[in-house]
Amino acid sequence: MKTSTMHLLACVCAGLLSACGGQSGESPRPTQLAATTTTVTAALVATDYNPVVQRVYVAYFGRPADPAGQVFFANNYLAANAPTDIMGVSQAYFTNPAVTALVDAFGTSQESRDLYPGENTVFVNAIYRNLFNRDADIAGRDFWVNAINVGAMTRASAAISIMAGAQGTDAELIDKKLRVASDFTLALNTPQRQQAYSGLAANAIVRAMLATVTLATDVNAFGPTIEATINELVNAGNIYSQVHQIIQLRCVGCH
């Protein structure tokens, strides 16, 4: 790895630590350690990873996770012994090969190729719009584009790092989007609803729904919008199925 790339990677890691208030601090004294109550941490289960998987979907694709995708990635993050928070995952990306593969699976997917066919400048701007409803500032855009261009990061790792470093109102907006995204995924509670949320057209409809979430959004009152969106997906699926059946019948009649 070139020196410039290593320096950039160090800056990325330092920036993430700074964003979450990381600092070295003084180690606890022996007397302080002795007074600490020992607690037993329960073993992690796959559903503990649902929140971080949801974050990766929102960051990279700008849409909620589909139930099957959430289950798949949650189980694989558990098997990888990954952190359960986005900051931890963004850092583990550089040290845990299994986490690296899971994160990069988003960037190498067909959906990614269809959604982000342009250059890295366009991609970074799209991630900012996914997360913050705004275009990237010039300094931020140039930093992340350079990190991708020199190979210090991939598109997928840059997306989760951008999310992990969010602060202030940006972080508040992400939290609202995640709440809506989680509610949407939970509302896909029948096979018909789950099947309806499939394909580029369906993804685009749900992405547009999530893009309407702003700082002013009352997420507790967003349920009707979620239901309306799901009904739109189901109705579109029914129409497609009917058209497909008509085409098949006509084709049979031609023979």
Side-chain angles (χ1 to χ4, degrees), residues 155-235:
R155 285 185 166 190
S157 66
I160 65 171
S161 293
I162 292 170
M163 171 181 270
Q167 300 181 43
T169 55
D170 283 345
E172 183 181 346
L173 177 57
I174 288 173
D175 287 343
K176 290 199 171 193
K177 290 196 172 196
L178 289 168
R179 170 72 180 278
V180 170
S182 296
D183 288 348
F184 180 90
T185 303
L186 287 172
L188 299 173
N189 50 16
T190 68
Q192 184 185 32
R193 287 180 164 219
Q194 293 175 13
Q195 185 177 3
Y197 186 30
S198 176
L200 292 177
N203 292 344
I205 290 172
V206 181
R207 187 177 298 109
M209 178 205 72
L210 195 60
T212 66
V213 177
T214 68
L215 285 171
T217 298
D218 180 359
V219 295
N220 293 317
F222 208 80
T225 301
I226 290 175
E227 284 299 309
T229 303
I230 294 175
N231 288 335
E232 182 181 355
L233 297 179
V234 171
N235 291 335

Side-chain angles (χ1 to χ4, degrees), residues 119-138:
E119 59 183 14
N120 290 329
T121 300
V122 177
F123 168 77
V124 169
N125 201 62
I127 297 303
Y128 267 73
R129 296 204 64 82
N130 287 347
L131 294 173
F132 313 128
N133 293 350
R134 60 177 171 81
D135 292 334
D137 58 282
I138 296 176

Side-chain angles (χ1 to χ4, degrees), residues 82-152:
T84 57
D85 63 288
I86 197 69
M87 177 67 72
V89 168
S90 68
Q91 294 170 349
Y93 175 87
F94 300 103
T95 59
N96 185 328
V99 172
T100 304
L102 288 169
V103 171
D104 282 343
F106 281 74
T108 58
S109 68
Q110 184 61 50
E111 181 176 356
S112 176
R113 289 191 288 271
D114 292 334
L115 191 59
Y116 305 122
E119 59 183 14
N120 290 329
T121 300
V122 177
F123 168 77
V124 169
N125 201 62
I127 297 303
Y128 267 73
R129 296 204 64 82
N130 287 347
L131 294 173
F132 313 128
N133 293 350
R134 60 177 171 81
D135 292 334
D137 58 282
I138 296 176
R141 181 199 65 197
D142 291 349
F143 175 83
W144 296 110
V145 168
N146 185 49
I148 299 170
N149 285 344
V150 302

Side-chain angles (χ1 to χ4, degrees), residues 242-255:
Q242 291 171 6
V243 171
H244 183 65
Q245 289 177 4
I246 292 172
I247 292 174
Q248 284 185 316
L249 289 173
R250 288 181 175 178
C251 288
V252 170
C254 292
H255 293 290

